[in-house]
Amino acid sequence: MKNLTWSMKRLAISLGCVGLVSVIAGCNESSEEKTLKEAYENYFDIGVALSPKTYQLYDASIYQEFSTVTAENEIKWESIQNSEGSFTFDSADIIADFARENKQKMRGHTIVWHSQTPSWVAQESESGSVDDTINLMLERIETHFVAMNERYGDVIFVWDVANEVISDSNDPNERYRQDSIYYVACGKDDAKFEYFLSEVFKMVERLAPDVTRYYNDYNLAWDSVKRAKTITMIENIEALGANVQGIGMQSHVNITMTKETFAQAIADFKNSALFDELSVTELDISVYTSDSEPVMNVLSEEVAQKQADIYGDLFELFRENDEFVSNVTFWGISDLATWLDNFPVYGRNNYPLLFDDNGEKKEAYYSVRDF
Ligand code: GLA
């Protein structure tokens, strides 16, 4: 019983049931084989994004494949401080405690992001002046970050200080995402927005000097215009005194991705000499190549093999760049609970990860681990 139906998936996830999936389908795990993190110990860290619904879906051994953890949603602003001054740490604590118990480090995701962030964070100042608003936003971010750092500073080793600020437009002059609450609050003024970003990076450096500061975004492998804008943004904020140490390539890609395309992106970031390191922060490989492609009710051997080949090619590339690549994180533990089941098409089963619904290793797993 390789593939559970969508309704069964939802039942299992919504019950948050320990081992339910294993009970339904049988869970196997050989403890003698190398884990991913062991296979890659001389290259880079291997991470996984978890949520309170997925951190105990399977036998504990599956989670030992990874050396770092990212909270899928629990450390985002709306989860922690949805209304000003009222902090809720319960869900984030579950993931942080899990990481501590398993001696895993945690990626902090994320601080400045236009999404999953309440609007009060960018509410304009009483005076209405943009400069006052920027100062107020910085104060709010500092209060927020201090609280996060007090609670999770022992386990979080890297922060995505800013996420997805770059515009997707082909127009090279439209550098920033136009509808971001932060960009709007900065008067849609590139220079003021860059000042704001540089101050956030400086703040994190001041408050948590040991943490590695990242800029994180999507489509950086596909889109060379976006990559160029990203590099310009980093140059500009570094000229203002920020120090951005890492570039995070989210890497929600699909089975048409190639090693050559990805290699160009890594080379561009390396050649920019702006970063000490690069991490692949949200890797998954969708089996669909368009929104109109009909649902695959099972993952055919042919598609599974194609996906495995691409995973293998990408990890070969990452190993070739191991002096620059610091971490590769998968965006989810298994195909059972992937955000891609509902994006970009709601309810379309996807199979983007290394483990299937039952927590069993797919072809893709072996082509990543065995090289
Ligand atoms: C972006 C964000 C992630 C997550 C994914 C979808 O990549 O950075 O936090 O929300 O979208 O799951």
Side-chain angles (χ1 to χ4, degrees):
M1 186 167 178
K2 270 199 158 255
N3 294 283
L4 304 182
T5 63
W6 173 237
S7 54
M8 288 169 81
K9 279 187 176 196
R10 289 180 54 149
L11 174 69
I13 296 165
S14 64
L15 289 172
C17 228
V18 181
L20 174 61
V21 180
S22 317
V23 172
I24 292 170
C27 179
N28 63 12
E29 186 64 39
S30 160
S31 53
E32 282 127 46
E33 291 182 5
K34 254 191 191 180
T35 59
L36 292 170
K37 76 177 173 204
E38 286 165 351
Y40 279 86
E41 65 186 346
N42 295 325
Y43 294 90
F44 39 77
D45 285 337
I46 303 282
V48 64
L50 295 176
S51 77
K53 289 177 181 162
T54 61
Y55 80 104
Q56 52 181 16
L57 269 176
Y58 302 106
D59 186 88
S61 58
I62 194 172
Y63 302 97
Q64 291 305 324
E65 298 276 346
F66 308 95
S67 47
T68 72
V69 165
T70 306
E72 208 168 325
N73 290 298
E74 295 63 33
I75 288 199
K76 293 172 179 173
W77 197 303
E78 68 174 12
S79 307
I80 297 286
Q81 197 191 174
N82 202 31
S83 19
E84 188 162 14
S86 160
F87 289 82
T88 44
F89 294 112
D90 301 4
S91 302
D93 281 353
I94 291 173
I95 306 299
D97 287 342
F98 179 82
R100 290 179 184 116
E101 276 158 28
N102 288 289
K103 303 203 175 352
Q104 290 159 323
K105 294 179 292 177
M106 195 163 170
R107 298 185 63 85
H109 176 72
T110 176
I111 307 172
V112 172
W113 190 30
H114 65 279
S115 179
Q116 295 183 259
T117 301
S119 55
W120 66 262
V121 183
Q123 182 93 41
E124 78 170 6
S125 66
E126 263 177 39
S127 73
S129 116
V130 167
D131 291 346
D132 288 350
T133 301
I134 290 175
N135 287 334
L136 199 52
M137 290 196 298
L138 291 170
E139 278 169 30
R140 292 166 180 151
I141 291 170
E142 178 151 349
T143 303
H144 187 80
F145 187 75
V146 165
M148 298 297 286
N149 198 38
E150 267 173 24
R151 202 161 182 102
Y152 305 116
D154 63 311
V155 66
I156 290 183
F157 70 110
V158 33
W159 271 101
D160 291 330
V161 177
N163 190 37
E164 304 182 348
V165 305
I166 301 294
S167 164
D168 290 319
S169 158
N170 289 331
D171 177 358
N173 296 317
E174 185 187 300
R175 188 173 306 138
Y176 295 112
R177 177 185 292 276
Q178 300 292 296
D179 60 357
S180 155
I181 53 173
Y182 295 107
Y183 186 67
V184 171
C186 290
K188 295 194 164 198
D189 176 322
D190 287 9
K192 286 189 192 287
F193 186 57
E194 286 166 359
Y195 166 78
F196 163 73
L197 288 176
S198 72
E199 288 299 306
V200 181
F201 272 92
K202 284 193 250 179
M203 176 196 302
V204 173
E205 182 170 7
R206 173 167 51 83
L207 296 170
D210 295 336
V211 141
T212 308
R213 297 172 297 280
Y214 264 71
Y215 175 70
N216 193 54
D217 213 326
Y218 60 88
N219 274 1
L220 294 176
W222 295 117
D223 187 342
S224 57
V225 177
K226 190 163 184 178
R227 218 151 58 221
K229 292 180 194 177
T230 303
I231 287 172
T232 305
M233 178 268 283
I234 302 291
E235 282 167 350
N236 291 356
I237 69 172
E238 293 216 329
L240 296 169
N243 179 6
V244 183
Q245 298 151 302
I247 178 73
M249 296 179 66
Q250 290 185 7
S251 311
H252 298 291
V253 299
N254 70 35
I255 50 171
T256 62
M257 177 51 74
T258 65
K259 184 179 175 188
E260 293 67 35
T261 300
F262 213 110
Q264 187 59 54
I266 293 183
D268 286 353
F269 287 126
K270 204 195 273 185
N271 295 338
S272 75
L274 289 166
F275 307 101
D276 304 333
E277 59 183 58
L278 177 150
S279 288
V280 174
T281 53
E282 306 183 17
L283 181 62
D284 43 29
I285 303 185
S286 169
V287 297
Y288 299 102
T289 55
S290 80
D291 296 2
S292 56
E293 212 174 324
V295 63
M296 298 181 196
N297 287 317
V298 290
L299 179 62
S300 69
E301 275 182 27
E302 191 192 338
V303 177
Q305 189 57 54
K306 183 158 196 216
Q307 181 188 50
D309 291 346
I310 295 161
Y311 263 118
D313 288 352
L314 291 184
F315 273 78
E316 183 177 69
L317 172 70
F318 303 152
R319 290 192 303 275
E320 286 164 5
N321 287 279
D322 67 335
E323 79 300 344
F324 191 42
V325 175
S326 160
N327 180 295
V328 180
T329 287
F330 295 92
W331 202 246
I333 188 75
S334 78
D335 292 347
L336 178 69
T338 163
W339 75 295
L340 292 172
D341 281 342
N342 293 310
F343 182 88
V345 180
Y346 188 81
R348 185 174 68 170
N349 265 2
N350 209 326
Y351 310 88
L353 295 162
L354 299 193
F355 295 91
D356 71 11
D357 290 1
N358 309 323
E360 286 172 10
K361 294 164 180 152
K362 293 164 58 184
E363 268 315 296
Y365 174 93
Y366 295 106
S367 67
V368 169
R369 190 194 63 184
D370 301 335
F371 51 88

